[in-house]
């Protein structure tokens, strides 16, 4: 149970049937996941709606007088709750991930279980305001990488009040291109992403590999690397340092769009997609977790299980 929920459960004597004692709900609204304070906690019994309360403390201000008891005004738990709900709504989490948590992540293999363990350890051991090593989750589509990213960011925001952001890299490129039409520079859009305490970049390596994309990605990661800020990544490309039995064709610099497309057309390694400098920085910034190529696609597996049986017969339960 989250600490905000624990406070509410303690005050109310029982957990709410809607939020389970968390005191907030996360729901899908259009393209984004949004949080709101649960109806069970709109009227705060601890402060009566004032948003703050008197707290009794003890301190020693003089050896001669000794310990003294005094009262101070502190933000109520309901104020912290509203603040963190607002922070969550700034994360820009995809709506499909509204219900993603560590508890409902179902690993199919040992590597997925390790991925969940790395994400949970990061979330639980995160030190606010310090330099924390992030992680990169690599694996085929539908293997729960974004699920673990969403669970991690949700914990950081709602449990600890950490400012985070989520961005899907190809959508970031599209946003910057649209910004050019409105007279904005790429730096104006990258700036806030460079400064947020924890940034999650999904679909790393996706794109055409054009100079614009490479320069944008390099600038964003360089800014965060130089500032010692924590970044999380998810990618469909392998984290292997080089191809087995073949020399890597990783781009050493920026080339024409046609050259980049040709070099990266059939690339399967993240190193080949992002270049040597970015890959080197990822090695220092993050823990690497790679899911096997044969890890099942959750969405595909779910669709096959839900498909109606063939006409004229029952579905074979053993398949």
């Amino acid at each position: 149970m989250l600490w905000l929920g624990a406070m509410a459960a303690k005050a109310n004597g029982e957990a709410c049937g809607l939020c389970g004692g968390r005191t907030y709900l996360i729901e899908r609204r259009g393209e984004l996941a949004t949080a709101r304070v649960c109806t069970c906690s709109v009227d705060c019994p601890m402060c009566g709606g004032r948003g703050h309360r008197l707290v009794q403390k003890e301190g020693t201000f003089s050896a001669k007088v000794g310990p003294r008891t005094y009262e101070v005004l502190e933000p109520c738990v309901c104020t912290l709750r509203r603040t963190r709900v607002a922070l969550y709504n700034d994360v820009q989490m995809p709506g499909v991930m509204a219900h993603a948590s560590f508890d409902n992540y179902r690993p199919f293999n040992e590597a997925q279980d390790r991925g969940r363990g790395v994400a949970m350890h990061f979330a639980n051991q995160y030190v606010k305001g310090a330099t924390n090593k992030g992680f990169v989750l690599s694996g085929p589509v539908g293997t729960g990488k974004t699920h673990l990213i969403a669970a991690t960011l949700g914990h950081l925001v709602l449990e600890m009040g950490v400012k985070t952001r989520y961005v899907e890299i190809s959508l970031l490129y599209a946003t910057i291109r649209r910004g050019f039409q409105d007279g904005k520079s790429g730096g104006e859009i990258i700036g806030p992403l460079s400064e947020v305490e924890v940034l999650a970049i999904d679909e790393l390596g996706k794109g055409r590999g054009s100079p614009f994309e490479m320069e944008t990605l390099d600038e964003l990661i360089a800014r965060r690397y130089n500032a010692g800020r924590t970044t999380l990544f998810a990618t469909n490309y392998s984290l292997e340092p080089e191809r087995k039995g073949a020399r890597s064709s990783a781009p050493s610099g920026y080339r024409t769009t046609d050259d980049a497309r040709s070099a990266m057309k059939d690339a399967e390694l993240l190193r080949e997609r992002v270049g040597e400098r970015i890959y080197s920085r990822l090695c220092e910034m993050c823990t690497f977790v790679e899911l096997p190529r044969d890890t099942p696609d959750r969405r595909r597996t779910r669709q096959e299980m839900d498909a109606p049986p063939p006409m004229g017969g029952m579905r074979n339960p053993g398949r």
Side-chain angles (χ1 to χ4, degrees):
M1 181 181 292
L2 301 178
W3 77 270
L4 290 176
M7 292 290 288
K10 186 176 180 179
N12 298 332
E14 58 182 12
C16 170
L18 287 176
C19 67
R22 295 182 303 174
T23 73
Y24 63 85
L25 297 169
I26 301 177
E27 303 166 326
R28 180 175 184 172
R29 292 188 181 179
E31 295 183 359
L32 299 177
T34 61
R36 65 178 175 87
V37 177
C38 183
T39 53
C40 71
S41 302
V42 171
D43 298 321
C44 180
M46 301 181 72
C47 70
R50 293 184 296 273
H52 58 269
R53 58 197 182 102
L54 283 173
V55 177
Q56 194 173 75
K57 293 190 174 183
E58 183 178 284
T60 301
F61 304 97
S62 163
K64 183 178 181 180
V65 176
R68 296 291 300 271
T69 299
Y70 61 98
E71 291 184 328
V72 295
L73 274 178
E74 287 190 351
C76 181
V77 66
C78 66
T79 297
L80 296 178
R81 183 188 306 119
R82 287 194 299 269
T83 299
R84 294 181 182 187
V85 163
L87 284 177
Y88 183 88
N89 292 335
D90 288 336
V91 174
Q92 302 292 295
M93 188 65 63
V96 71
M97 290 296 150
H99 301 295
S101 70
F102 292 124
D103 290 338
N104 61 23
Y105 181 81
R106 298 290 180 263
F108 284 107
N109 54 42
E110 185 177 342
Q112 282 184 303
D113 195 44
R114 176 175 179 263
R116 179 176 62 177
V118 167
M120 288 181 64
H121 182 269
F122 170 85
N124 291 324
Q125 300 300 318
Y126 184 85
V127 179
K128 191 174 180 180
T131 300
N132 299 267
K133 192 171 186 178
F135 57 80
V136 183
L137 297 174
S138 165
V141 297
T143 51
K145 302 182 299 296
T146 305
H147 183 122
L148 290 176
I149 290 283
T152 300
L153 297 187
H155 177 93
L156 293 179
V157 176
L158 295 167
E159 278 287 274
M160 305 177 65
V162 178
K163 292 184 179 180
T164 75
R165 276 291 304 275
Y166 168 93
V167 64
E168 199 269 278
I169 196 64
S170 63
L171 296 182
L172 174 61
Y173 297 149
T175 299
I176 294 176
R177 290 191 181 98
R178 287 195 300 270
F180 290 156
Q181 299 175 0
D182 297 330
K184 295 181 180 180
S185 68
E188 290 181 72
I189 298 173
I190 288 177
L193 297 178
S194 304
E195 297 171 2
V196 70
E197 187 166 346
V198 177
L199 174 68
I201 300 178
D202 206 351
E203 300 288 357
L204 181 64
K206 185 178 180 180
R208 296 175 298 173
S210 67
F212 159 73
E213 293 176 351
M214 296 293 287
E215 290 165 5
T216 299
L217 183 61
D218 184 73
E219 179 181 352
L220 177 57
I221 292 180
R223 285 191 183 191
R224 296 192 62 80
Y225 173 83
N226 293 333
R229 295 194 172 96
T230 305
T231 313
L232 313 178
F233 302 89
T235 180
N236 294 333
Y237 296 95
S238 174
L239 300 175
E240 292 292 332
E242 60 185 22
R243 294 178 184 274
K244 295 180 180 179
R247 187 175 180 179
S248 171
S249 59
S252 58
Y254 303 127
R255 296 173 286 181
T256 66
T257 301
D258 290 340
D259 287 342
R261 285 177 180 171
S262 177
M264 296 183 174
K265 182 178 179 181
D266 298 318
E268 296 180 352
L269 303 185
L270 182 63
R271 178 186 176 195
E272 295 174 339
R273 298 295 299 183
V274 302
E276 294 287 354
R277 180 164 64 174
I278 291 177
Y279 183 82
S280 175
R281 286 176 171 172
L282 295 181
C283 291
E284 182 177 339
M285 296 168 68
C286 299
T287 298
F288 283 11
V289 179
E290 180 141 18
L291 307 180
R293 295 291 103 185
D294 60 354
T295 302
D297 181 335
R298 291 164 173 265
R299 293 184 288 267
R300 190 170 178 178
T301 301
R302 188 179 302 116
Q303 192 278 336
E304 291 172 350
M305 291 178 64
D306 293 341
M311 293 293 292
M314 297 290 290
R315 182 191 304 166
N316 185 348
R319 296 186 64 182

